Amino acid sequence: MIARTWLLSLSFGLALAGAAESQTQSFDRAVGLARKYTVKVKVEGTRTDNAEPERYGSGVILSSDGFIATAAHVIGANSEWVQGETDGLLKRTVKVRISDPYGELEDRWRSAIVIKDLPASDVAVIKITGGGFARAECRSLQTVRGTDIYRLGFSVGAASSADEKPGTTAVSELPQNFRGNMISEKGMSGGPAIDISGKVVGIAVNREDNPRFASQSYTEFVRIEEAAALLPKSVGESNCAVGADSVIGGGSPVDITDRLRSLGSTSTLVLQYPDQTVTIREGEYVLDGRSLRLTAKRLIVSGKVTLRSFAENASAPLGQTGNTGGPGGQAGGDGQNGGPGLQGGPGSTGGDGQPGRASGAFLLDVADIIFGADASLEIFANGEAGGRGGPGGVGGPGGAGGAGRNRGGNAVCAGSKSPGNGGPGGKGGTGGKGGNGGRGGDGGQIAYSASLADYVADKKLVLVAPGGRGGPGGASGGGGAQGSGGAAGAGSHCGGGGDAGATGPAGDPGPQGQVGSTGSYGDVRGL
């Protein structure tokens, strides 16, 4: 048994080692491919401060006919360069050295022209003449945290081939950027970040090198979509195509905000955009218990967006009010004093509050989310709160006391008796018990793409499915009105009149209803 366990452990260890070796070999192939389309960029010219700089960077060939992406700060903004007095042209030259089929730099520099730049994202596209160049294939980064990548580029010093460093991705403050936990030297800006298949997912635009704490060093990359959006449409299929609908800043994302506001009568809101980018404007959207199915290639969230199954203050209707108790009878007799009134009947118990409705289900089948600064997406698959219990019925009024009777004597009045007093009023009836609060509705189910787990961990994406709170208990029924005292007996020639009966006490209020139970918590899980 021990030997078998050892063999199993050895087999498992060899399998892991084999998988690691296979991944290393895959990255070796990917780096070999990437060296062929990673270029060195040099910019020479006269700046507006009369300096004559020589600036180096890196770049990526995005099309076989010579369109190259680099960082915008490598070529510099036009305002940095002096213009010629006669021709008005900038006193700046951009040159590129590409690699041969073996990934080694050619001896000569090729002249390049600036096609377009996007300073806000720090990307630019330049072009060299010719054709048949080795070009990159591109891919949108699916998982922002933890994807294995390699960074390639040329440092300022002499290099015969592009230098590479491994690392993993991390979240950046900018929605179009991500980070890699590797050190980069000066001159690496504009170089590619590649995945295990050799496809470009981003371009280096910034570095933070901490000489004392290497673990705090990182390279900032802009997503490749930003650069691909600057390519002319005439380039066609020979370019680094990411897909028109996944290009940030290229093409218009589908705004689904109005669909969330105009729910219609359907019980499930289906938003199907599997090959497109969608966006939701900032705000809170309540689905009134409906289910939501969102399928998209990418979701752009520029502000704080909240989706709720039910509004926080929404609750089910109240329970029914209890009935009023019946009045007390009259018990005045023919005696000297009137009899007491009877107690009023109790109010009936209020009806229970209605239970809250259960939340609908949420399906978030999205490959990636792009968050703007301070943006977040919160989804609450919350059950509706239970309704308040109905108030108890009011107690019935107490009965009136009986009237005192006048009993006259004989002619001489020797045996005459004084008139009788009125009887006391009956006590009011006890109020009915308030109804119990309704049970809260159950929370719904939220299923989300596994690629979104990074955002859940970073709390950019908040997913909760609480049950609705129980409804409060109904108010207690009020006590019945007090019974009136009986009338006094009349006086006669043999004596004065009797006293009126005392007023009865008011009824006691009933107990308050109990609070309803909370609904069950829903299920939140990855697909």
Side-chain angles (χ1 to χ4, degrees):
M1 184 68 180
I2 296 175
R4 184 180 179 185
T5 303
W6 180 84
L7 286 173
L8 287 172
S9 299
L10 176 61
S11 176
F12 183 64
L14 290 174
L16 287 178
E21 182 180 1
S22 175
Q23 185 176 28
T24 301
Q25 291 174 350
S26 296
F27 260 122
D28 286 344
R29 289 192 295 269
V31 170
L33 290 172
R35 282 203 177 103
K36 298 175 183 178
Y37 57 69
T38 303
V39 303
K40 188 166 186 174
V41 179
K42 179 172 69 171
V43 181
E44 298 174 321
T46 303
R47 294 174 47 129
T48 53
D49 58 4
N50 292 323
E52 295 185 358
E54 190 174 69
R55 182 181 295 173
Y56 288 92
S58 301
V60 184
I61 301 177
L62 297 187
S63 73
S64 58
D65 52 355
F67 284 92
I68 298 171
T70 186
H73 73 263
V74 170
I75 61 172
N78 288 342
S79 59
E80 295 181 34
W81 307 95
V82 174
Q83 290 183 325
E85 296 180 0
T86 56
D87 55 15
L89 298 178
L90 294 173
K91 292 186 177 180
R92 169 185 58 175
T93 60
V94 180
K95 297 179 181 180
V96 171
R97 282 179 72 182
I98 67 171
S99 299
D100 62 22
Y102 304 100
E104 297 292 319
L105 277 180
E106 293 181 341
D107 292 335
R108 67 189 182 99
W109 290 93
R110 297 171 182 257
S111 296
I113 59 173
V114 178
I115 299 298
K116 195 173 184 181
D117 65 350
L118 188 63
S121 296
D122 198 8
V123 292
V125 169
I126 59 179
K127 188 180 186 306
I128 56 176
T129 58
F133 300 110
R135 68 169 178 87
E137 291 186 27
C138 301
R139 173 177 290 171
S140 178
L141 183 66
Q142 299 297 307
T143 304
V144 182
R145 181 189 292 278
T147 297
D148 291 325
I149 59 170
Y150 266 74
R151 183 271 298 137
L152 281 86
F154 294 91
S155 61
V156 174
S160 59
S161 62
D163 173 54
E164 83 282 353
K165 275 193 174 69
T168 56
T169 57
V171 177
S172 170
E173 286 84 359
L174 299 175
Q176 71 272 24
N177 287 16
F178 62 93
R179 288 176 177 173
N181 59 347
M182 73 279 284
I183 297 173
S184 290
E185 293 77 24
K186 191 174 182 181
M188 296 289 182
S189 292
I194 63 169
D195 64 9
I196 194 171
S197 64
K199 292 183 171 62
V200 177
V201 293
I203 295 175
V205 292
N206 192 18
R207 64 192 178 97
E208 183 66 37
D209 294 336
N210 191 322
R212 296 183 59 192
F213 303 101
S215 62
Q216 297 181 12
S217 300
Y218 63 84
T219 301
E220 186 97 0
F221 298 92
V222 66
R223 292 172 184 260
I224 191 60
E225 292 94 325
E226 294 285 297
L230 301 183
L231 289 174
K233 293 183 179 179
S234 60
V235 172
E237 295 300 322
S238 64
N239 70 335
C240 165
V242 187
D245 291 319
S246 66
V247 173
I248 307 169
S252 297
V254 179
D255 191 335
I256 60 175
T257 305
D258 291 339
R259 295 286 305 278
L260 294 172
R261 290 173 174 165
S262 305
L263 299 175
S265 58
T266 179
S267 60
T268 301
L269 182 61
V270 180
L271 303 174
Q272 291 276 9
Y273 304 94
D275 299 318
Q276 295 175 276
T277 295
V278 300
T279 184
I280 305 174
R281 296 194 296 274
E282 183 172 2
E284 180 170 309
Y285 308 96
V286 179
L287 303 185
D288 196 33
R290 291 172 174 80
S291 295
L292 172 66
R293 296 177 59 189
L294 172 60
T295 303
K297 191 168 187 178
R298 178 175 291 109
L299 171 62
I300 298 176
V301 181
S302 56
K304 183 175 181 179
V305 175
T306 302
L307 303 180
R308 292 185 184 277
S309 187
F310 295 100
E312 286 187 289
N313 57 355
S315 59
L318 299 175
Q320 185 176 358
T321 302
N323 297 322
T324 302
Q330 184 173 1
D334 288 338
Q336 181 176 359
N337 296 324
L342 299 180
Q343 182 173 349
S348 63
T349 301
D352 291 341
Q354 293 189 25
R357 292 172 289 167
S359 167
F362 290 79
L363 172 63
L364 196 62
D365 187 6
V366 178
D368 195 16
I369 303 179
I370 306 299
F371 287 100
D374 300 324
S376 63
L377 174 59
E378 298 178 330
I379 297 180
F380 295 92
N382 56 313
E384 183 182 38
R388 180 186 292 272
V394 177
R405 189 173 180 185
N406 179 23
R407 300 181 62 190
N410 54 27
V412 185
C413 293
S416 297
K417 295 184 179 179
S418 300
N421 299 321
K427 181 178 180 179
T430 303
K433 178 185 177 183
N436 295 324
R439 182 180 184 273
D442 293 336
Q445 182 184 79
I446 303 177
Y448 61 94
S449 302
S451 58
L452 306 183
D454 293 331
Y455 301 116
V456 175
D458 292 331
K459 301 190 184 304
K460 284 278 190 180
L461 177 61
V462 178
L463 305 173
V464 289
R469 64 182 183 277
S476 59
Q482 54 201 119
S484 58
S492 70
H493 64 281
C494 291
D499 297 326
T503 301
D508 299 322
Q512 186 168 348
Q514 296 177 340
V515 177
S517 58
T518 302
S520 300
Y521 195 89
D523 181 30
V524 179
R525 58 182 174 83
L527 291 174

